[in-house]
Amino acid sequence: MPRPRLGTRTCTAVIAATAVLGSLLAGALPSAAAADEPAPVPVDRFEGEIPFAGPPAEGIFTWGSDADDQPQLAVKERADAPEGAKAIEGTYDISGWGGVSHDFAFDKPAHDWTASKGIRFWWYGQNTAPLPPGSGKRINFEIKDGGANGEASELWTTSFTDDWEGWHLVEIPFSDFVYRADYQPVGGIDQVLGLNEMWGWALTLPTGAPGSFAMDGMELYGKADPALKAKVVTDAAVYPVDEGGTAHVKVSVATTGSVPTDEAVTVDYTTEGGTAASGKDYEPVTGSVTFPAGTASGASRTVAVATRKDGSAESAETVPLKLTVTGAKAPAETPQVVVNAHGLPYLDARLPVKKRVADLLSRMSLAEKAGQMTQAERNALKSQGDIASYDLGSLLSGGGSVPTPNAPEAWARMVDAYQLRAQATRFQIPLIYGVDAVHGHNNVIGSTIMPHNIGIGAGRDPKIAERTGAVTAKEVRATGIPWDFAPCLCVTRDERWGRSYEAFGEDPALVTAMETVINGMQGARNGKDLDRNDKVLTSAKHFVGDGGTGFGSSTTGSYTIDQGVTKVTRQELEAVHLAPFAEAVKRGTGTVMPSYSSLEIVGDDAGPVKMHANAEMINGVLKDRMGFEGFVISDWQAIDQIPGDYPSDVRTSVNAGLDMIMVPTNYQDFTKTLKDEVTAGRVSEARVDDAVSRILTQKFRLGLFEQPYADTTNLDDVGSAEHRAVAREAVAKSQVLLKNDSAVLPLKKSQKVYVAGSNADDLGNQAGGWTISWQGSSGDITTGTTILAGMKKAAPDATIDYSKDASAGTDGYDVGVVVVGETPYAEGFGDVGNGNDLELTAADKAAVDTVCAAMKCAVLVVSGRPQLVGDRLAGIDALVASWLPGTEGDGVADVLYGKRPFTGQLPVTWPASEAQLPINVGDASYDPQFPYGWGLTTLTGTPGGGEPTLKALTVAAKVLQATGHGTSPQARELVGKARLIVQQKIGSDITEAAAKPFAEADHLLLTGNPSGAVTKLIAAYRAG
């Protein structure tokens, strides 16, 4: 799914080769200051004065897409060092992305570089043969400005090529740096290079082959360019007005550090160019404004542009207001007044959507249609004006692509600013903005973070699934976003997969049962609720088979299973992987996203086919057979994985049935290539028209033409107590009690409790990946309640002591609670074998051993998938699968202290060893640690009577089934009683003979066969 990629960007830098090193004075910095310039200011001498250390301390550190991609660094003595006695050296071999940073200390003020012209440093060239300029390896160099610190700042980038041998001086004026468009740590701040708040620098090194580098003597040089200290800005770039209205363009002067202007600033303005006719569509305007020397930063003047009304139906027309600036930097682009489109049938909300689509489509050019089929990552925009220049149909925020501050109000403002740009297009077709809100509005600090899907599946409650979807939709739409890349309908068949937690479970029947989340998010199946301010368009993903990829089949980087090959029979494809999508289409999902993975059907002899190229599945099964009427959106840069060159990727994917392509950065090439393919006849105009019609249909249904901007009515509900109460209930229902000897749980408020383990008091760990950032992170990353804090709230008068590593004394406690598990990850980075396994950490194992040896203990496993605990199970009194509960640790405390009973059931089989994987309900050989569907309860009054009671329940189940109530709550309750009887009989002695029918019973119940479920449970009872 959508996520940030740290890529490279090419731009021009000034590179100066120096004279012989022997002419340098010993210990001198790269060059002496000219007579009229200030002395150079050292940044890094690389003599060891700056330690190798990570944030928040001052230091130089490396980073990369995985451990192997992080460069190796050392400061070494060199006889040829241009400055001092040492230089920094590094080696690298990068497959994904990687580089080096120096962050200044977070607890000290940012550095002020406003007095200097630029930055320069010595670079040791690695080329042994003469090369023409620009032909060597390209190195990206970045500086960091603004924000709270070096990891929450803006990146400004330039690049140079390593074309020489030996030491050379690289000189880069600050005017050469451009705002990095493909990635910003906090989503960008103001896109103004604030040299008064500098937090450090970074190198992004080349990929694809091993390399080495050396640097020395980095310093600031020269005298600042006055144009960098003041600039003229307008309050907007686009000013839409109805025909006959007047636009008011606010022109302001801004200075670095908000100081008064050094000199007078003059702005000459005139209306010229554009598509509107001067004197006919608007009154021409010409004039000048002056800001005298000493003018306060932020001072402004207003220019009025009046339009004329002629009454005829027209598309939108533009009136550029050209600004010529003296004494400051001019605005990056010319502001435009836009006379709104009016009188055309597609703008008439009273007409049926189908007629509106047909009218608009008939007016559009091929370029406009290609733009509608394009989705770009917002940080990839070379300028925001490209939204109109390329007629882009959609933007997205990849994981962690957020505004500053990362708050709900800022999200709404950000999305509105992008929507404003779309108003400068001929037909003012609004953007459809998308985001991965996969367990709540999880990119936004302060939002309600739900349990991941695996926990929702454990809850087995379609109503709570629907309610979590409704809360998520309300929070997402409140921030101006009408489209959510959720839910994931994958059926996880191998828990070594790093995306296991994105699945509701291993059983397609369970996944299908939880698809009520679609209606919670979208409302009515016919789409009539989509224009509400609390509903969003959904995206059923990933079509089809992403949860069935074989271990070792992936060819993506170091991934072992994610994005690999799903090899199945047609029968298994239909029953396991396609079934959830058939249900999603019935529920009216608005979009479908194909999988990165490939599909290989046994017996077809066609080999693996990338799903983004699979016309049989997308056109044939999804659109034709299932009758899907929404549009198909690609995954992040996924068409690039199709074999062949880029034009082949484009035509293959579009002809296979993709309607919109998440490019996500290369929107210029994609739109050009698609137009070329249509012109050449390799993609038909009919296929393009079908795609655009599908996209426009959803935009009209969402009401975006009438209300493109955020309706912030519900903004105060983001992260509200009411929403968190829904999440808290979902958390409580997700908790699966696997073992409970001696009734250790629920805890009593009178008990003295010893709490330990890595995940007891870590909000980031309990939320998991896809939380605030793509991969997630440990610590207090957002607003919420940890499990430990929840316990203290649940029993405020109890003694509850915490020792993370269980190093504190254990005497005198009644019971221990050890909360262990995983740290966050997402996608292939979480694959087992890619730096991950299913074992608890050594520290967590030690904490379990220490606490459980000293007292009765309950162990909670906070993870996205089962963890191997079999070797310690005998010493554990109570074991709970807590999954990834999100921000509401109160929900865990609710079941620990008995406010709510444990009712959750395993959504996946809990293996006894990794060697058993893959292991799933229905397998011929099935002997797990705990079977699918297992879940003890702390409800009182477990039914007695043994087999006679089970037989009586069978009769009742048959009646329910015969009367069409096989999937009713009554049927679930009846089979639940039978399950509790069986679990009580089996106890901790779970044999293969009992596990297999037990697991199959839950599958039968979910498919509407409660009588068959009870029959299976009787078999498990007899084997127990």
Side-chain angles (χ1 to χ4, degrees):
M1 258 315 298
R3 80 286 289 175
R5 294 284 194 238
L6 296 177
T8 58
R9 174 176 171 83
T10 303
C11 56
T12 304
V14 175
I15 303 173
T18 62
V20 290
L21 298 178
S23 63
L24 293 173
L25 296 173
L29 282 166
S31 63
D36 59 345
E37 289 188 351
V41 179
V43 175
D44 281 316
R45 298 186 62 232
F46 302 116
E47 297 293 308
E49 79 283 5
I50 304 299
F52 290 139
E58 169 112 6
I60 298 171
F61 60 96
T62 63
W63 38 268
S65 50
D66 56 42
D68 292 339
D69 283 350
Q70 296 187 22
Q72 302 298 310
L73 296 181
V75 173
K76 293 184 177 180
E77 291 193 8
R78 292 180 62 129
D80 64 347
E83 188 275 323
K86 300 177 182 177
I88 190 169
E89 299 178 356
T91 59
Y92 58 90
D93 187 359
I94 303 169
S95 59
W97 41 263
V100 180
S101 292
H102 176 186
D103 277 5
F104 304 146
F106 288 9
D107 61 349
K108 295 180 180 178
H111 294 203
D112 188 339
W113 292 358
T114 55
S116 301
K117 178 180 181 180
I119 191 168
R120 62 189 175 198
F121 49 87
W122 290 96
W123 183 266
Y124 193 83
Q126 303 293 322
N127 291 306
T128 57
L131 290 172
S135 59
K137 288 184 177 181
R138 184 163 295 278
I139 315 295
N140 280 63
F141 184 74
E142 298 159 355
I143 54 177
K144 307 179 178 189
D145 88 296
N149 53 62
E151 297 305 294
S153 55
E154 282 188 329
L155 297 182
W156 293 76
T157 185
T158 186
S159 65
F160 61 94
T161 50
D162 184 0
D163 299 329
W164 303 275
E165 179 180 8
W167 290 108
H168 286 268
L169 186 65
V170 178
E171 254 186 19
I172 309 172
F174 291 130
S175 59
D176 276 9
F177 285 92
V178 297
Y179 181 79
R180 182 166 175 172
D182 61 338
Y183 173 73
Q184 288 292 336
V186 292
I189 300 173
D190 56 9
Q191 298 192 30
V192 175
L193 179 56
L195 293 172
N196 60 314
E197 289 186 300
M198 300 308 300
W199 286 106
W201 56 266
L203 287 172
T204 301
L205 295 164
T207 62
S212 61
F213 69 93
M215 295 177 69
D216 201 10
M218 184 180 293
E219 68 179 12
L220 307 178
Y221 74 94
K223 186 177 180 180
D225 180 352
L228 288 177
K229 299 176 69 176
K231 66 182 298 186
V232 168
V233 297
T234 57
D235 58 329
V238 179
Y239 298 83
V241 292
D242 290 335
E243 188 183 46
T246 299
H248 299 277
V249 181
K250 184 178 178 181
V251 180
S252 305
V253 63
T255 63
T256 298
S258 298
V259 298
T261 57
D262 289 341
E263 56 186 82
V265 176
T266 302
V267 182
D268 298 321
Y269 58 86
T270 182
T271 49
E272 64 178 46
T275 57
S278 177
K280 175 185 175 184
D281 297 316
Y282 68 94
E283 300 291 346
V285 174
T286 300
S288 178
V289 296
T290 299
F291 299 93
T295 297
S297 180
S300 64
R301 307 286 188 272
T302 299
V303 178
V305 180
T307 66
R308 292 183 173 183
K309 192 167 187 176
D310 59 21
S312 59
E314 293 176 299
S315 58
E317 298 171 316
T318 58
V319 186
L321 182 66
K322 183 180 179 182
L323 304 178
T324 303
V325 178
T326 304
K329 191 173 183 179
E333 57 186 307
T334 298
Q336 295 186 82
V337 175
V338 179
V339 183
N340 290 328
H342 53 276
L344 301 174
Y346 77 89
L347 295 170
D348 188 349
R350 297 168 298 179
L351 292 178
V353 167
K354 190 172 183 179
K355 286 189 176 181
R356 297 178 75 182
V357 170
D359 177 69
L360 178 52
L361 188 69
S362 70
R363 301 174 186 277
M364 294 171 68
S365 67
L366 176 59
E368 288 165 330
K369 293 173 183 177
Q372 286 301 301
M373 294 174 67
T374 307
Q375 183 182 66
E377 215 287 335
R378 69 179 193 90
N379 272 326
L381 294 172
K382 302 303 180 285
S383 76
Q384 290 191 20
D386 281 359
I387 293 171
S389 299
Y390 290 87
D391 294 288
L392 297 180
S394 182
L395 293 181
L396 82 148
S397 278
S401 178
V402 301
T404 299
N406 183 1
E409 298 83 359
W411 278 86
R413 289 193 299 270
M414 176 186 75
V415 176
D416 281 356
Y418 294 131
Q419 284 287 16
L420 179 63
R421 297 301 188 129
Q423 296 299 299
T425 60
R426 191 162 61 123
F427 298 114
Q428 298 182 306
I429 302 173
L431 295 166
I432 179 170
Y433 200 101
V435 68
D436 285 281
V438 298
H439 63 138
H441 201 357
N442 45 255
N443 282 294
V444 182
I445 292 176
S447 66
T448 307
I449 307 297
M450 301 291 174
H452 269 294
N453 283 355
I454 197 73
I456 300 297
R460 293 296 202 285
D461 186 342
K463 289 185 178 179
I464 196 67
E466 183 172 358
R467 290 170 63 202
T468 62
V471 167
T472 298
K474 190 174 184 180
E475 296 198 1
V476 170
R477 194 68 181 258
T479 58
I481 299 170
W483 185 13
D484 186 357
F485 303 127
C488 184
L489 302 183
C490 49
V491 183
T492 177
R493 306 294 283 179
D494 189 333
E495 278 58 63
R496 290 172 291 187
W497 186 38
R499 304 191 78 150
S500 291
Y501 63 77
E502 295 187 50
F504 291 112
E506 71 184 34
D507 183 356
L510 175 56
V511 175
T512 299
M514 295 299 106
E515 290 186 50
T516 50
V517 68
I518 293 174
N519 303 111
M521 296 170 80
Q522 284 198 177
R525 301 183 183 209
N526 63 4
K528 70 179 182 64
D529 296 329
L530 283 172
D531 62 350
R532 285 171 36 178
N533 66 2
D534 63 347
K535 296 300 174 189
V536 294
L537 198 69
T538 60
S539 185
K541 64 185 188 184
H542 303 94
F543 187 82
V544 59
D546 56 334
T549 50
F551 187 79
S553 67
S554 181
T555 57
T556 301
S558 56
Y559 295 4
T560 57
I561 186 168
D562 188 35
Q563 303 186 19
V565 179
T566 298
K567 188 174 183 179
V568 288
T569 64
R570 284 200 176 271
Q571 181 181 8
E572 186 180 357
L573 174 65
E574 294 286 345
V576 176
H577 300 291
L578 280 171
F581 288 93
E583 178 67 17
V585 172
K586 290 177 185 176
R587 291 184 179 273
T589 188
T591 67
V592 169
M593 181 181 291
S595 174
Y596 280 113
S597 57
S598 300
L599 178 64
E600 181 175 1
I601 299 176
V602 177
D604 282 9
D605 298 325
V609 179
K610 278 284 184 184
M611 275 308 308
H612 280 73
N614 200 322
E616 178 192 358
M617 289 293 116
I618 299 171
N619 283 330
V621 174
L622 178 64
K623 291 185 173 180
D624 294 343
R625 195 185 83 190
M626 293 183 181
F628 174 61
E629 295 180 348
F631 68 88
V632 178
I633 169 72
S634 86
D635 208 334
W636 179 282
Q637 207 169 348
I639 71 167
D640 294 32
Q641 294 188 7
I642 298 172
D645 58 16
Y646 193 64
S648 172
D649 295 343
V650 171
R651 66 174 173 268
T652 299
S653 59
V654 172
N655 286 334
L658 269 68
D659 303 305
M660 182 183 285
I661 307 299
M662 188 187 297
V663 280
T665 58
N666 197 21
Y667 56 91
Q668 304 98 324
D669 284 351
F670 172 76
T671 51
K672 178 182 183 301
T673 302
L674 179 56
K675 289 184 290 184
D676 290 345
E677 291 298 303
V678 174
T679 302
R682 291 184 288 268
V683 174
S684 71
E685 291 187 34
R687 171 75 271 272
V688 169
D689 285 352
D690 172 61
V692 177
S693 294
R694 289 169 176 267
I695 294 164
L696 294 177
T697 296
Q698 300 303 336
K699 290 186 176 185
F700 279 117
R701 285 180 170 177
L702 286 162
L704 295 178
F705 282 82
E706 289 70 48
Q707 175 65 355
Y709 303 114
D711 179 344
T712 58
T713 304
N714 297 322
L715 210 55
D716 289 342
D717 291 326
V718 177
S720 66
E722 180 184 2
H723 286 185
R724 291 181 186 274
V726 174
R728 180 174 180 169
E729 181 180 348
V731 171
K733 290 184 174 181
S734 75
Q735 302 298 291
V736 181
L737 184 57
L738 299 173
K739 180 182 179 182
N740 193 26
D741 289 356
S742 303
V744 170
L745 296 176
L747 302 172
K748 299 176 180 63
K749 294 183 180 180
S750 60
Q751 290 176 309
K752 186 176 182 181
V753 184
Y754 187 105
V755 182
S758 61
N759 286 349
D761 196 32
D762 194 302
L763 196 62
N765 287 358
Q766 74 184 45
W770 285 110
T771 309
I772 308 306
S773 62
W774 173 35
Q775 292 291 319
S777 58
S778 301
D780 293 331
I781 59 175
T782 186
T783 305
T785 304
T786 66
I787 293 171
L788 176 65
M791 292 175 64
K792 290 182 176 180
K793 287 166 64 179
D797 297 326
T799 298
I800 301 175
D801 295 326
Y802 175 56
S803 175
K804 182 176 180 178
D805 61 359
S807 60
T810 56
D811 292 340
Y813 291 91
D814 300 307
V815 64
V817 175
V818 191
V819 189
V820 298
E822 296 183 303
T823 53
Y825 56 79
E827 302 190 35
F829 288 101
D831 286 354
V832 167
N834 187 24
N836 291 277
D837 56 39
L838 300 180
E839 297 281 348
L840 299 179
T841 65
D844 275 348
K845 289 178 180 179
V848 170
D849 292 345
T850 298
V851 176
C852 292
M855 67 195 79
K856 288 183 178 180
C857 71
V859 174
L860 279 59
V861 181
V862 174
S863 64
R865 53 198 170 189
Q867 303 291 283
L868 301 174
V869 295
D871 57 343
R872 282 172 168 74
L873 190 57
I876 295 171
D877 298 294
L879 180 65
V880 179
S882 286
W883 308 113
L884 296 170
T887 53
E888 305 314 298
D890 287 321
V892 179
D894 286 343
V895 292
L896 289 179
Y897 276 96
K899 183 176 181 178
R900 290 180 180 271
F902 279 94
T903 57
Q905 296 175 248
L906 283 180
V908 293
T909 301
W910 196 284
S913 67
E914 188 175 326
Q916 285 187 327
L917 296 174
I919 182 170
N920 296 287
V921 57
D923 287 355
S925 176
Y926 189 78
D927 187 19
Q929 190 86 65
F930 298 100
Y932 168 78
W934 187 266
L936 306 178
T937 186
T938 48
L939 280 167
T940 57
T942 299
E947 191 165 332
T949 301
L950 290 173
K951 289 181 178 179
L953 291 172
T954 303
V955 174
K958 287 181 178 178
V959 173
L960 285 172
Q961 193 167 327
T963 56
H965 295 88
T967 58
S968 65
Q970 294 85 353
R972 292 198 299 273
E973 182 181 2
L974 185 150
V975 176
K977 290 180 178 179
R979 181 172 57 83
L980 294 178
I981 293 171
V982 175
Q983 287 182 154
Q984 193 173 52
K985 169 79 179 303
I986 293 173
S988 59
D989 186 20
I990 303 173
T991 64
E992 181 174 5
K996 184 173 172 59
F998 184 94
E1000 291 170 355
D1002 199 59
H1003 169 75
L1004 290 171
L1005 171 62
L1006 288 163
T1007 58
N1009 186 358
S1011 65
V1014 179
T1015 299
K1016 287 285 186 182
L1017 286 170
I1018 290 173
Y1021 183 88
R1022 291 171 177 170

